[in-house]
Every structure is written in structure tokens, then in C-alpha cells.
Amino acid sequence: IPVVDDDSPLDFQVNVSKNFQKAVFRPAKTNVQAQISGRELRFQLKKPGKVTLELDDDLKTPLFILCTKRVPKPEKVDHLFESGKVYNVGTLEVKAGETVYLEEGSVVCGCVSALFAHGMKILGNGILNGCVWHPKEENGEVRPMISLVFCNDVKIQGITMVDGGSWHMVPGACRNVEIEDVNIMSRVCTGDGIDIVGCEDVTLRNSFIRASDDCVCIKAASYPDPAANRNVKNILVEHCVLWNAEPGNGVEIGYEVRCDEISDITFRDLDIVHCQYSGGVLTIHNADRAYIHNIVYEDIRVEDAQEKFIDIKVLDSKYSLDRSRGRVEDIFFRNIEILNGNFPVSIIRGFEMHTEMSRPQNIHFDNVVVLGEHINSPSDLHMVVELSNDIWFNGKSM
């Protein structure tokens, strides 16, 4: 994790233990060009960023180069973890107004829990490690690495989280949460990156997430606390690099949406470098009663979508608890491009039974490009549309 003080270029030399034929850097927009000599690569990042290096299409052993801005140590620190030391904290309870600071080079094994901890902060350039409290290839206890409940005015910046036994960062029933420049890498199934549950006014930006389930997920559910079954509003996710591996989805709303309304959510300037196996890239699964509307996806680049691109459904699922279906309306996709890889399918599907009907409507696609092809209709997008109304492509209703 290169910790940087400014935006100056960075030079790298990588030595590989075996022969290789091809080196791919992602996101593609970084346009990194390597000089290769035998098993050695030399390259420059013109500006520090979150970059992966893949050799011969091997997605099991990439090199993560996750440049992170240095977070200065505040004058007031309540929980200090020093550089060069490894800690096992079990569960660190953080109270209102307290600051946790992980110095660069520190490793903190355990998880963080906060209840009514208004004004709390988790800062620094150290590592929060979850591997010590779950079996090597299995989920651990059902608890997040960072659990925030009823916490307002929260800031989390600079840290790296690895190998949690379940969801990694979960604000529940919180307001005014700022998450900046974090790195998350999970390995076990259901290893969600960040789940925003029953929250309002949350910003996530400039971060990297490689998740073995949903990378970023919006929910209203009883986890981490029953209080998080509440409305979600004003969420902004921007300037992030995402890698969805194994199950789950890249950017998800659902399945658990046990509230009256989820609205005013924006995902913009995202690089989704992989969406592997059975998941979707941009997905809404309304499996409960919520009215989901005013959702914007814009300026998003997708480099590898192996199954589904857009997947919007109203459904009764194994996760459902509400006995009535909600609605999905006013969804906007703008300036979205799949750069390479497969041409994935897309789905928009409503719900209809003899006593109930819910049809997604007012779904807008503007300037969507797949493998160089400008999309002007559902068929162009390899999209199945069922039980849905008012699907728009570039200003024309389909």
C-alpha cells in the first residue's frame, strides 16, 4: 500500500517468480505501459491511484497497488495503534467523539463496534485484519469488521481492511457518514465490501473494493441492528474501483429493502474491473416493500462482466420478509460503457400474481456503449424486458 503525500508520479519495479506472456493493468483508464524484460516489469503511475496488475489472465494472484493519501495523526487520539506492531483487539468499542488512528505499518486484528458514537472517526494508513477470527476458508461469526449503529457525523479515512469473516463495513441507521480512500479485500463467501443499511447522507469516494460478494450494497434490514429497517436517502458513491468476485454483484440495491422508501442514490465515475461468475454489474433487487426511485448511474466503465450487466427485478425471494412487493421507478443510466470482455445479458422484470402487480417503470438509458456499439434498444443491449413499462433509450420510449 504505497502511502503518498501528493500526486507526483510513482515508478515501480516488479519481479515475478515465473515466466509470463501478458501483463494487464486495470483500470484501463490509467493507461499504464510496462517495460518487460524477462520476469521483470518496470512502469510508472503518472498519478497515484488504485491499480491491479494481472499476469496471463490469472485472477487468483493479481498484484494490488493501492496508493493511499497519507492521513496525518490528529492531536487527539483515543485509540492509537503504532507502526510496526500487530494487535489483537477482539472487538474494539468506540464511543461518541472518539478517534481511532492506525499508523502506517500497523496491523490491527479484530473488529470495531460503535453504538450512538456520534462524531467518531477511524483514520490512518494501517490495516484492519479479520483473518484471526474465522476459519481459513469459511465465514466467521455473523458480525461486520466495522459496525456502526445510530452513529451520526462519522468519518472513516485511509485504512485498509482485509479478510473479514462476513461483511466488512456496515453503517446501520446512521447519518452524515463520510468514507474516503479506503481499501477492502475479502476472500470468503458473503464477504461484502460496504453495506449501507437504513442510512441517510452517506458519501463513499476514492476507494478500492475487491469483494467476494457485493462490493457496494444499499439495504434496509435488521443487520447490523433492527433499527436499520428504515428509509435510505442521499447516498453518493463516486471515484471508486470495484472488483466483484465469486457471488454477489458490483453495485447492488437489495435484496433486503424493508422500509418505505429508498431514493436519491447516485453512483458515478466508477471503474468496475471485474464482475465474475453469476452476479450483475448494476443491480436492483426489490424483494420487499420499498419504493425505490431516483437512482442515477453515470460515468461508469466496465472492463469484465461475465454474467449480467443490468439486472432490475421486483420479486419474492428467499430473503423477503415483507408480504407486499415494492416499486422501482425513475432509474437513470448515463454514459455507461463496457470496454472489453463478454457482451453480458441484461434483465428488467416486474412482479405479477393474481392479487398483486408491480412493474418497474421510467427506466432511462442515455449514451450506453457496449464493446464499441452504441445501444438504442433493449435488443441492442441483449436485454430481456418483462412486466415493465416506459423503458427509454436515448430519449425514445420503447
Side-chain angles (χ1 to χ4, degrees):
I1 305 169
V3 179
V4 302
D5 296 296
D6 54 37
D7 289 335
S8 300
L10 297 175
D11 294 307
F12 291 88
Q13 175 182 322
V14 176
N15 295 311
V16 184
S17 61
K18 60 182 180 180
N19 295 327
F20 63 94
Q21 300 297 319
K22 181 175 68 171
V24 174
F25 292 88
R26 303 182 191 273
K29 71 176 185 182
T30 57
N31 195 29
V32 177
Q33 303 296 322
Q35 295 180 338
I36 300 175
S37 177
R39 298 179 179 178
E40 180 184 278
L41 301 94
R42 292 178 180 268
F43 56 92
Q44 182 183 79
L45 298 185
K46 296 179 180 179
K47 180 180 178 181
K50 316 289 190 183
V51 178
T52 68
L53 168 59
E54 302 162 15
L55 300 179
D56 295 338
D57 300 318
D58 182 359
L59 302 187
K60 295 295 185 183
T61 58
L63 176 65
F64 298 101
I65 304 169
L66 307 178
C67 302
T68 304
K69 290 290 182 70
R70 188 177 308 279
V71 181
K73 180 181 175 183
E75 290 186 7
K76 175 184 175 297
V77 175
D78 302 280
H79 305 275
L80 175 63
F81 299 98
E82 298 178 340
S83 178
K85 296 183 179 180
V86 177
Y87 300 81
N88 192 339
V89 298
T91 299
L92 176 66
E93 303 283 349
V94 181
K95 301 185 182 303
E98 291 188 339
T99 297
V100 180
Y101 186 75
L102 286 68
E103 291 184 349
E104 178 188 1
S106 66
V107 177
V108 180
C109 300
C111 58
V112 177
S113 179
L115 175 64
F116 288 106
H118 304 323
M120 61 90 72
K121 298 178 181 178
I122 304 175
L123 309 173
N125 300 110
I127 294 174
L128 186 62
N129 194 327
C131 72
V132 298
W133 48 274
H134 69 89
K136 182 178 179 182
E137 300 299 339
E138 300 177 18
N139 298 97
E141 298 178 36
V142 182
R143 57 173 174 169
M145 290 186 73
I146 295 180
S147 174
L148 312 173
V149 179
F150 281 129
C151 298
N152 299 341
D153 305 314
V154 171
K155 185 170 185 178
I156 302 174
Q157 182 179 3
I159 66 169
T160 294
M161 305 173 66
V162 296
D163 202 12
S166 182
W167 298 359
H168 282 66
M169 187 184 302
V170 190
C174 297
R175 289 185 175 180
N176 299 321
V177 178
E178 181 181 355
I179 305 166
E180 172 83 19
D181 198 10
V182 301
N183 305 307
I184 297 176
M185 288 170 284
S186 73
R187 187 166 55 85
V188 297
C189 181
T190 75
D192 287 20
I194 297 178
D195 292 83
I196 300 168
V197 188
C199 294
E200 295 187 14
D201 303 311
V202 178
T203 300
L204 164 65
R205 57 167 57 98
N206 299 325
S207 296
F208 176 89
I209 301 173
R210 187 277 187 197
S212 297
D213 210 316
D214 301 330
C215 291
V216 179
C217 191
I218 311 295
K219 295 180 182 288
S222 296
Y223 184 60
D225 188 271
N229 289 290
R230 59 174 54 200
N231 293 346
V232 181
K233 189 173 183 179
N234 294 334
I235 311 297
L236 172 62
V237 178
E238 64 179 357
H239 315 318
C240 294
V241 179
L242 307 178
W243 178 330
N244 165 237
E246 290 88 32
N249 307 281
V251 174
E252 160 80 331
I253 299 175
Y255 280 71
E256 304 92 328
V257 286
R258 298 171 201 132
C259 64
D260 294 329
E261 189 173 15
I262 293 178
S263 66
D264 303 298
I265 316 293
T266 299
F267 304 98
R268 70 181 179 210
D269 189 21
L270 305 181
D271 288 280
I272 302 177
V273 297
H274 291 289
C275 189
Q276 297 176 245
Y277 302 113
S278 60
V281 180
L282 308 175
T283 62
I284 300 174
H285 296 118
N286 191 340
D288 287 295
R289 72 179 192 273
Y291 173 33
I292 300 175
H293 64 107
N294 292 342
I295 313 299
V296 176
Y297 305 85
E298 61 184 0
D299 301 325
I300 296 175
R301 297 156 295 278
V302 182
E303 300 188 24
D304 173 30
Q306 297 184 15
E307 182 68 24
K308 294 186 289 291
F309 176 27
I310 292 164
D311 186 13
I312 298 175
K313 295 190 183 82
V314 180
L315 71 165
D316 192 356
S317 80
K318 65 180 181 180
Y319 304 109
S320 300
L321 292 183
D322 292 341
R323 297 325 308 156
S324 61
R325 298 308 96 209
R327 294 181 287 157
V328 177
E329 299 177 4
D330 303 321
I331 313 298
F332 302 89
F333 298 91
R334 304 171 183 147
N335 305 325
I336 314 292
E337 184 172 8
I338 296 181
L339 300 174
N340 46 49
N342 300 326
F343 195 140
V345 299
S346 292
I347 301 170
I348 300 178
R349 193 178 196 281
F351 179 85
E352 186 170 335
M353 298 290 285
H354 65 283
T355 59
E356 186 179 12
M357 180 176 67
S358 177
R359 297 195 172 190
Q361 59 186 341
N362 293 328
I363 316 294
H364 297 260
F365 298 87
D366 293 289
N367 193 31
V368 176
V369 179
V370 178
L371 305 179
E373 177 183 344
H374 289 266
I375 303 301
N376 294 299
S377 69
S379 60
D380 287 350
L381 196 54
H382 297 185
M383 175 181 281
V384 176
V385 179
E386 296 180 336
L387 306 175
S388 306
N389 299 328
D390 298 325
I391 312 298
W392 297 77
F393 281 81
N394 301 315
K396 296 182 180 180
S397 179
M398 298 287 144

